[in-house]
């Protein structure tokens, strides 16, 4: 056996080591005993046997791990905010408007779509960056304007949704040197963190579209059909102020750019105008620019003659003016040289019927024509000149006896009639002045 201290071999059966004197421990194994095996050797051998038996599965698993890792690395690289800014800048410089559109935080609706964006981009004031630019990360803020840009502020539910959508806004400053002037310039690009995650759950950022989008409002004093580039604006709001209805047509949102605006109605000639929503974000129509259609003018002229004939008929038959006043709107306050309608009619009556018994007995219109008037807007003044012959009952000079006389020549006179458009009630007479000629001095 061997000494456990010095390692020298001793004869079997001795108690102490012959070399160092240490008491020996019998370390010989019984004949039936089995030597201990190295456990690590067994495990390694089993692993090798498993790999050999399942080589295909092991290689497949390793490939899957590599692919997933590649996906995560690629996803992170593609969704880095700086990468989005760089992609947007390069697309702007190359005028690749489809790519620019895909970089924007836009919710498609109405006139907001890629086709409209590409159609109006050549007119937009877009920064064209040179090749040598530098991107500097700026502030990170919490903003809600991007989320509620397309939502009504009157809707509480939408407001709450807007706040949830706002997330974080990252601002980046882009430094570049203008190729034309050689002057260093800078611009700001805002990135909006999206509510929904991208593939593999990476945060997704898109460029704020606030510089590309605006609203367009048209106000008109009557109901019309409004189109932008032949697309009708259907959103209409009616407000009442100072007795007049205001119709407000709003296209929101729309891309900034040039549009062909057109307004059509049953009353007015078509109104067309080229507008640029970079500057005209709120266009208010001037009613003085609108012209009545010929058919409406003829209606007004015919209505004016009918009214005048009715007035003179009531005077000759000694009736009140209830019938001609049914063609009028007496609620309008007189202004300028106009008196109330009742006073204006009584003024004409006093010319034809005198307090001493003299009066016009018969009256025959010879000519009636419109000679002045603008026919603009919802209120228009029209001058009518007319001539008539009449028979009068009057007193001879120096006598109280009434005699009947006829005018030898037609009497020329005029009236100004003010018309107002009352919507579904059509045109109403709201003012009258004239009838200045005294026929008793023409016989």
């Amino acid at each position: 056996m061997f000494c456990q201290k010095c390692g020298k071999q001793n004869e079997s059966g001795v108690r102490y080591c012959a070399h160092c004197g240490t008491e020996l421990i019998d370390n010989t194994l019984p004949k039936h005993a089995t030597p201990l095996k190295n456990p690590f050797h067994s495990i390694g051998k089993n692993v090798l046997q498993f790999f050999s038996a399942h080589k295909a599965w092991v290689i497949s698993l390793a490939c899957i791990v590599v692919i997933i890792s590649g996906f995560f690395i690629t996803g992170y690289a593609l969704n880095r905010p700086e990468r989005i800014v760089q992609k947007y800048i390069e697309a702007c410089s190359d005028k690749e408007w489809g790519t620019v559109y895909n970089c924007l935080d836009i919710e498609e609706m109405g006139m907001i779509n890629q086709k409209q964006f590409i159609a109006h981009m050549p007119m937009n004031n877009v920064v064209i960056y040179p090749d040598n630019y530098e991107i500097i990360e700026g502030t990170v803020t919490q903003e809600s304007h991007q989320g509620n840009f397309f939502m009504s502020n009157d809707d509480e539910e939408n407001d709450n949704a807007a706040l949830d959508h706002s997330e974080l806004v990252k601002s980046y400053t882009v430094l570049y040197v203008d190729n034309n002037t050689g002057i260093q310039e800078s611009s700001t690009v805002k990135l909006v963190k999206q509510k929904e995650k991208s593939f593999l759950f990476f945060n997704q950022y898109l460029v704020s579209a606030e510089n590309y989008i605006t609203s367009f409002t048209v106000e008109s004093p009557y109901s019309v059909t409004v189109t932008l580039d032949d697309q009708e604006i259907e959103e209409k709001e009616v407000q009442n102020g100072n007795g007049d209805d205001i119709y407000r047509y709003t296209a929101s949102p729309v891309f900034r750019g040039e549009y062909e605006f057109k307004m059509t109605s049953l009353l007015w000639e078509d109104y067309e105008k080229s507008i640029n929503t970079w500057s005209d974000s709120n266009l208010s129509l001037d009613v003085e620019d609108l012209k009545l259609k010929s058919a409406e003018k003829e209606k007004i002229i015919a209505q004016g003659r009918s009214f005048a004939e009715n007035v003179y008929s009531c005077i000759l038959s000694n009736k009140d003016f209830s019938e001609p006043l049914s063609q009028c709107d007496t609620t309008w306050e007189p202004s300028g040289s106009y008196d109330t309608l009742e006073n204006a009619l009584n003024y004409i009556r006093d010319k034809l019927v005198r307090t001493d018994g003299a009066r016009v007995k018969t009256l025959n219109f010879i000519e009636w024509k419109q000679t002045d008037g603008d026919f603009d807007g919802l209120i228009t003044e029209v001058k009518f000149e007319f001539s008539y012959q009449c028979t009068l009952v009057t007193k001879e000079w120096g006598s109280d006896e009434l005699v009947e006389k006829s005018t030898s020549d037609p009497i020329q006179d005029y009236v100004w009639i003010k018309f107002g458009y009352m919507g579904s009630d059509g045109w109403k007479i709201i003012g009258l002045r004239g009838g200045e000629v005294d026929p008793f001095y023409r016989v």
Side-chain angles (χ1 to χ4, degrees):
M1 69 174 94
F2 292 90
C3 176
Q4 67 270 19
K5 182 176 181 181
C6 66
K8 300 291 185 177
Q9 187 174 7
N10 291 272
E11 293 182 3
S12 179
V14 296
R15 186 175 180 181
Y16 297 95
C17 176
H19 302 282
C20 66
T22 301
E23 186 177 1
L24 296 176
I25 298 175
D26 190 1
N27 54 11
T28 58
L29 294 174
K31 294 181 178 180
H32 63 274
T34 305
L36 293 174
K37 296 181 179 180
N38 187 342
F40 296 102
H41 175 76
S42 176
I43 293 174
K45 184 177 180 181
N46 291 338
V47 171
L48 291 176
Q49 289 176 350
F50 176 83
F51 281 168
S52 299
H54 303 85
K55 184 184 295 184
W57 285 101
V58 171
I59 294 175
S60 299
L61 181 61
C63 290
I64 291 174
V65 171
V66 171
I67 291 173
I68 292 176
S69 300
F71 269 119
F72 272 96
I73 295 172
T74 303
Y76 173 76
L78 292 178
N79 287 278
R80 284 189 313 115
E82 293 82 358
R83 169 59 183 162
I84 303 300
V85 176
Q86 182 180 2
K87 180 180 178 181
Y88 168 74
I89 290 174
E90 292 175 353
C92 288
S93 299
D94 296 335
K95 298 182 180 181
E96 296 179 354
W97 307 127
T99 304
V100 172
Y101 181 84
N102 292 333
C103 292
L104 297 178
D105 179 32
I106 287 180
E107 179 182 348
E108 291 195 349
M109 59 174 66
M111 298 183 71
I112 297 296
N113 53 64
Q114 189 176 51
K115 182 179 178 180
Q116 285 283 336
F117 181 79
I118 294 175
H120 292 93
M121 279 311 299
M123 283 76 77
N124 280 351
N125 299 332
V126 179
V127 176
I128 305 300
Y129 299 93
D131 294 335
N132 53 335
Y133 59 84
E134 181 183 0
I135 301 175
I136 300 176
E137 184 173 358
T139 59
V140 179
T141 58
Q142 186 85 17
E143 297 183 19
S144 61
H145 70 278
Q146 185 69 21
N148 63 16
F149 192 89
F150 306 112
M151 299 179 184
S152 169
N153 290 329
D154 297 331
D155 191 334
E156 183 178 353
E157 181 179 351
N158 283 344
D159 278 347
N160 292 333
L163 293 174
D164 291 341
H165 177 71
S166 66
E167 296 293 340
L168 293 178
V169 174
K170 285 190 174 184
S171 297
Y172 289 83
T173 300
V174 183
L175 300 178
Y176 61 96
V177 176
D178 191 294
N179 289 333
N180 296 323
T181 64
I183 300 175
Q184 186 176 35
E185 304 283 355
S186 66
S187 66
T188 301
V189 178
K190 284 186 177 181
L191 293 186
V192 181
K193 184 181 178 182
Q194 301 301 291
K195 186 176 181 180
E196 295 181 357
K197 301 287 186 180
S198 64
F199 181 61
L200 296 179
F201 305 102
F202 286 103
N203 290 328
Q204 186 177 11
Y205 289 87
L206 291 175
V207 178
S208 170
E210 61 186 0
N211 292 331
Y212 295 94
I213 294 176
T214 185
S215 61
F216 176 77
T217 302
V218 178
E219 291 185 354
S220 170
Y222 46 86
S223 180
V224 295
T225 300
V226 176
T227 60
L228 280 181
D229 286 353
D230 296 326
Q231 186 165 343
E232 183 176 352
I233 301 176
E234 298 181 352
E235 185 177 343
K236 181 174 67 173
E237 177 186 3
V238 182
Q239 291 187 345
N240 186 276
N242 298 326
D244 299 327
D245 286 337
I246 297 296
Y247 295 84
R248 180 175 290 109
Y249 300 83
T250 302
S252 177
V254 292
F255 288 117
R256 296 182 183 273
E258 292 185 0
Y259 292 86
E260 290 301 319
F261 169 80
K262 186 176 182 179
M263 187 214 73
T264 58
S265 71
L266 297 176
L267 297 179
W268 313 97
E269 295 178 359
D270 292 351
Y271 178 88
E272 298 182 9
K273 182 179 181 180
S274 294
I275 61 170
N276 190 326
T277 55
W278 281 105
S279 55
D280 298 333
S281 60
N282 192 323
L283 177 66
S284 181
L285 283 184
D286 185 355
V287 294
E288 299 301 326
D289 293 335
L290 307 178
K291 304 297 181 182
L292 275 176
K293 291 182 177 180
S294 298
E296 289 300 313
K297 293 180 182 180
E298 296 301 324
K299 285 182 182 179
I300 289 176
I301 293 173
Q303 185 175 347
R305 175 164 184 168
S306 172
F307 173 74
E309 290 177 344
N310 205 347
V311 168
Y312 281 95
S313 175
C314 289
I315 294 174
L316 296 181
S317 59
N318 198 27
K319 294 181 179 179
D320 60 28
F321 294 118
S322 58
E323 187 173 345
L325 285 176
S326 66
Q327 298 177 260
C328 306
D329 186 335
T330 58
T331 62
W332 282 75
E333 293 292 333
S335 60
S337 57
Y338 287 90
D339 201 345
T340 63
L341 281 167
E342 291 84 351
N343 290 343
L345 294 176
N346 288 327
Y347 178 79
I348 296 176
R349 183 195 293 273
D350 292 342
K351 294 288 184 180
L352 303 184
V353 179
R354 293 187 167 184
T355 57
D356 60 359
R359 61 186 177 84
V360 175
K361 184 177 181 180
T362 62
L363 186 147
N364 180 38
F365 283 103
I366 298 174
E367 185 179 24
W368 177 276
K369 59 182 179 181
Q370 176 260 328
T371 58
D372 200 356
D374 47 21
F375 292 102
D376 291 341
L378 296 177
I379 298 178
T380 183
E381 295 180 81
V382 183
K383 181 180 181 180
F384 298 98
E385 294 183 2
F386 57 94
S387 61
Y388 62 88
Q389 287 183 323
C390 63
T391 302
L392 303 94
V393 176
T394 184
K395 292 180 179 181
E396 289 283 4
W397 181 258
S399 173
D400 291 335
E401 183 180 356
L402 293 173
V403 296
E404 189 173 296
K405 291 184 177 182
S406 298
T407 54
S408 57
D409 297 320
I411 296 176
Q412 306 290 332
D413 206 347
Y414 74 94
V415 289
W416 279 92
I417 301 179
K418 183 185 289 189
F419 296 85
Y421 185 69
M422 305 299 169
S424 59
D425 293 332
W427 294 96
K428 291 284 189 178
I429 294 169
I430 59 175
L432 173 69
R433 60 186 175 90
E436 301 289 343
V437 177
D438 189 335
F440 293 98
Y441 290 100
R442 301 299 177 92
V443 294

